[in-house]
Amino acid sequence: MLPCSYACRVGFGTHRALDALQAHLRGGSWVLKVDVLKYFYSLDHEMLRHSLERVVACTRTRALIAAVLATYSAHDEYYFPQRGDDLFSAVRARGVPIGNLSSQLFANWYLHAVDTRVKREIGWRRYVRYMDDMVFVGPSKAAMIGLHSDVCEALAALRLTPHPTKTQVLPVTNGVRFLGFRVYPHHRRILRPNIRRFNARMRRYRWLVAHSAMTVEEVRASLCSWLGYADPKRCGGLIEHLLASAEFTVPGRPLAQGFTLRTPT
């Protein structure tokens, strides 16, 4: 796969995708953000299988891929008509179950065709993709509108539809919503809904700990997972503020327990 794709790949991941986007934002003035409507439910089985067969030669592996895909198909409500469709298009097998590791790998590969067109045919340099979240950075609004037409055409070839409200052209100064952050050229902020969800989760954990339905160690494990996403190196002040209010009353212990970020010595 091309270096512009950051999901489900060793050595890539969310923070490197965010870093790459910030670097691109420093070199442009306008952004095209593209999100695919009901992406996981829209993957066409036949097209995905043929795409994988171009790089997988083993017949047993091909049979396994076909067997995995055959275990699931999305409902008709996720059929979005494409130009040239016939009466049988609505019943084409499509969709992969959200949560399966195979679904993550299949979904990441499915848009490789778009990566190839953008990078090698169009020659667009400033581009980052994380699964179906695609961000393009360019010099002008007109350039981004023109690119939008090309990207929509590439998605239609894969039987995919851009999200009508999440696909937009905006100036770099507005910041870009990407992977739970609002990203600017020189800094990024955790989105407010993610902070509200964190506080709601801590309130629920406090109740569970107080009623002996959860241990502080289980809370710590959950926090470590969230901290891996939040990136303490860049958002340490905010995280310390959130942790300051996350104190837990443990039955049988006189003092409340809390958490703090470890600072390197």
Side-chain angles (χ1 to χ4, degrees):
M1 298 189 69
L2 301 184
C4 55
S5 173
Y6 285 82
C8 300
R9 302 179 67 191
V10 175
F12 287 76
T14 57
H15 292 306
R16 291 200 174 183
L18 290 163
D19 290 342
L21 176 56
Q22 280 191 269
H24 290 328
L25 292 177
R26 291 193 287 271
S29 302
W30 283 83
V31 169
L32 166 64
K33 188 177 186 303
V34 179
D35 190 280
V36 177
L37 182 64
K38 299 295 182 182
Y39 179 55
F40 277 78
Y41 298 114
S42 300
L43 304 189
D44 187 271
H45 287 194
E46 182 179 357
M47 298 185 73
L48 174 59
R49 194 169 62 253
H50 289 168
S51 175
L52 287 167
E53 286 175 355
R54 288 198 291 269
V55 293
V56 176
C58 174
T59 55
R60 294 179 63 189
T61 304
R62 288 181 174 185
L64 178 60
I65 290 170
V68 170
L69 289 175
T71 63
Y72 178 86
S73 185
H75 302 296
D76 291 345
E77 63 183 291
Y78 298 114
Y79 166 59
F80 305 108
Q82 303 292 334
R83 183 182 302 174
D85 277 1
D86 55 27
L87 293 175
F88 297 99
S89 298
V91 295
R92 290 174 67 101
R94 61 187 173 276
V96 291
I98 295 176
N100 286 6
L101 179 57
S102 60
S103 300
Q104 299 287 322
L105 298 173
F106 292 159
N108 199 31
W109 171 256
Y110 197 75
L111 283 173
H112 175 65
V114 175
D115 297 342
T116 302
R117 178 165 180 175
V118 168
K119 299 294 286 186
R120 295 180 177 171
E121 296 180 22
I122 300 176
W124 202 272
R125 291 178 52 216
R126 304 188 184 281
Y127 166 53
V128 175
R129 177 171 72 83
Y130 195 96
M131 204 59 73
D132 65 314
D133 286 344
M134 296 170 275
V135 183
F136 308 82
V137 182
S140 67
K141 184 177 183 179
M144 308 318 294
I145 292 174
L147 180 63
H148 176 261
S149 299
D150 290 331
V151 173
C152 287
E153 183 180 322
L155 291 176
L158 296 174
R159 303 192 59 78
L160 298 175
T161 303
H163 196 288
T165 59
K166 294 181 181 180
T167 298
Q168 51 191 222
V169 174
L170 63 157
V172 165
T173 52
N174 283 19
V176 184
R177 291 172 65 101
F178 187 59
L179 304 181
F181 290 79
R182 183 169 293 278
V183 185
Y184 298 88
H186 298 284
H187 68 285
R188 54 191 184 239
R189 297 174 179 170
I190 301 175
L191 293 174
R192 289 185 181 276
N194 292 343
I195 297 174
R196 287 196 293 269
R197 282 193 291 269
F198 174 85
N199 288 328
R201 188 183 306 127
M202 289 302 104
R203 287 194 296 272
R204 185 171 73 253
Y205 287 173
R206 278 198 294 271
W207 188 92
L208 291 172
V209 170
H211 290 79
S212 301
M214 188 176 193
T215 66
V216 174
E217 285 306 314
E218 289 173 327
V219 175
R220 189 190 309 277
S222 177
L223 276 175
C224 286
S225 175
W226 188 80
L227 289 174
Y229 148 77
D231 192 3
K233 291 182 180 178
R234 294 180 179 271
C235 304
L238 171 62
I239 293 170
E240 285 282 17
H241 174 74
L242 293 174
L243 292 179
S245 61
E247 292 190 341
F248 298 83
T249 302
V250 182
R253 296 186 183 180
L255 299 177
Q257 290 188 255
F259 301 94
T260 186
L261 287 177
R262 290 182 178 178
T263 55
T265 57

